[in-house]
Amino acid sequence: MLKNKEHKRNPRRTLHRMWQDRTLYLLLAPTLIYFCIFRVWPMINMRLAVYNYKAKGDWTFAGLKYFKMIFKSPAFADILKNTLIISFMKYVLLFPLFVVFAIMLNELRHNKFRKYVQVVSYLPHFLSWVVIAGIWMSFLAPSNGALNEILAWFGAGPVDLMTSKGAIRWVLFFSEGWRSLGWDSIIFYTAIIGISPDLYEAALMDGANRWDIIKHIIFPALIIPMTTVFILNLGFFMSAGFDQVFNFTNPAVNSVIDILDTYIYRVGIENAQYSIATAVSLIKGVVGVILVYLTHITSKKLTGEGVW
């Protein structure tokens, strides 16, 4: 047994197997290079969070100076609050809609119509937020937007949702849902079509209707992918979506949708306060890891399934 384990762990054997699968590793190489350059290498300079940055070198250790500055800032509490609210709307409130859409897609009996719905729902995912923001701004324009044209038919006055502090977060919510509905439901739809037909046949023979099948066959099959996706989404909970917010913001509503990512951009890129921006990014990363880990542990205890 010991010899077999040593044989399996032989580095030469591992390198030989890697060489045999060299085509697969070459296909994987661009992704690995991307993560090394844009994800792993930047982690080295996370030391900026505890150092005074100087372009010409000779950095001096600052300790927790920048973290104290962040938590003492009166604006930080509002920015954190905005981030948590928008993330809750996008990662928690939207989540069930993706599952429901996948189930509804499976319930469509006409194959051609189902494929049409799939294509139409997937397309917005491939649009940039610049394009999507332009579409929604045109749709919600107070003068000649489609929404206000419809309201005018019913005798209602024009509304400007893009400059309304009470409505702008819901604009972010629905625009995110429109963009992600089809794409984010793929994993759940795949899980549904992977269910054995024998289960459906047995249920029909026992007199089950469609609701019984959804409740007792389809939904239990979605528990594991739902748990996994939800836990992974929590890793992004402190990132409420820079691209979306940056393209939808304006001075009238900035106070209610200014999030950590836009704060990092404004402080780090525009004002060149790299240490403060790095400290905020570090806080985001640490909180994200903690959320994923705690949710994973909770899920393992409640359902027996987690991310790993």
Side-chain angles (χ1 to χ4, degrees):
M1 287 289 291
L2 211 54
K3 288 183 178 179
N4 289 337
K5 288 183 179 180
E6 290 177 358
H7 181 67
K8 289 180 181 178
R9 295 174 183 174
N10 191 331
R12 291 184 179 180
R13 183 178 177 85
T14 302
L15 291 173
H16 178 68
R17 292 182 62 184
M18 290 177 67
W19 176 253
Q20 288 180 324
D21 296 330
R22 58 187 178 277
T23 304
L24 298 177
Y25 283 100
L26 284 173
L27 291 173
L28 188 62
T31 303
L32 292 175
I33 293 171
Y34 167 81
F35 273 94
C36 287
I37 294 175
F38 296 103
R39 293 291 186 267
V40 179
W41 178 255
M43 290 176 65
I44 297 173
N45 282 323
M46 292 298 284
R47 61 196 176 106
L48 272 171
V50 292
Y51 277 86
N52 295 312
Y53 173 75
K54 292 183 180 180
K56 295 182 180 180
D58 298 327
W59 294 6
T60 56
F61 184 70
L64 300 178
K65 168 186 173 182
Y66 296 107
F67 292 96
K68 292 177 181 177
M69 289 175 62
I70 291 167
F71 288 112
K72 287 182 179 179
S73 171
F76 183 75
D78 292 331
I79 292 170
L80 181 61
K81 176 184 174 183
N82 293 339
T83 303
L84 295 177
I85 292 174
I86 295 172
S87 291
F88 178 81
M89 294 173 71
K90 292 172 64 172
Y91 297 124
V92 179
L93 295 185
L94 263 181
F95 184 75
L97 298 182
F98 303 143
V99 180
V100 171
F101 181 76
I103 295 174
M104 292 175 64
L105 200 61
N106 182 67
E107 293 303 305
L108 292 177
R109 301 293 92 189
H110 199 286
N111 288 334
K112 288 186 177 179
F113 182 66
R114 184 195 297 121
K115 291 179 180 178
Y116 174 79
V117 173
Q118 284 179 287
V119 171
V120 171
S121 63
Y122 295 167
L123 282 178
H125 174 79
F126 300 98
L127 300 177
S128 71
W129 276 112
V130 176
V131 176
I132 293 175
I135 293 172
W136 278 76
M137 287 177 186
S138 297
F139 177 72
L140 299 175
S143 56
N144 56 358
L147 176 64
N148 282 297
E149 292 287 346
I150 295 172
L151 291 176
W153 292 344
F154 295 96
V159 293
D160 189 359
L161 300 181
M162 292 300 299
T163 59
S164 171
K165 291 184 177 180
I168 190 63
R169 287 173 179 164
W170 290 106
V171 173
L172 298 180
F173 174 84
F174 285 109
S175 60
E176 175 66 35
W178 178 73
R179 179 180 184 268
S180 303
L181 185 64
W183 184 261
D184 285 8
S185 65
I186 289 178
I187 188 170
F188 305 121
Y189 181 66
T190 304
I192 292 172
I193 62 178
I195 298 173
S196 173
D198 295 339
L199 292 175
Y200 293 115
E201 293 178 5
L204 291 174
M205 289 179 64
D206 290 339
N209 54 34
R210 292 307 303 176
W211 173 247
D212 293 329
I213 291 174
I214 292 172
K215 183 179 179 181
H216 298 290
I217 296 178
I218 295 178
F219 189 73
L222 293 176
I223 293 297
I224 294 177
M226 284 171 61
T227 302
T228 304
V229 172
F230 184 73
I231 293 173
L232 293 176
N233 281 346
L234 284 182
F236 300 97
F237 202 80
M238 299 297 286
S239 300
F242 170 80
D243 292 343
Q244 183 190 24
V245 173
F246 186 77
N247 283 284
F248 275 87
T249 193
N250 59 71
V253 297
N254 189 57
S255 61
V256 294
I257 62 171
D258 189 19
I259 59 175
L260 290 175
D261 285 339
T262 53
Y263 177 75
I264 291 170
Y265 170 80
R266 187 168 61 253
V267 171
I269 304 299
E270 293 184 351
N271 298 333
Q273 297 182 27
Y274 303 119
S275 293
I276 294 179
T278 305
V280 176
S281 297
L282 188 58
I283 293 170
K284 277 182 50 186
V286 170
V287 172
V289 170
I290 293 172
L291 285 174
V292 169
Y293 183 75
L294 291 178
T295 313
H296 165 75
I297 296 299
T298 304
S299 176
K300 290 284 283 186
K301 289 183 178 180
L302 295 178
T303 66
E305 299 291 340
V307 177
W308 60 87

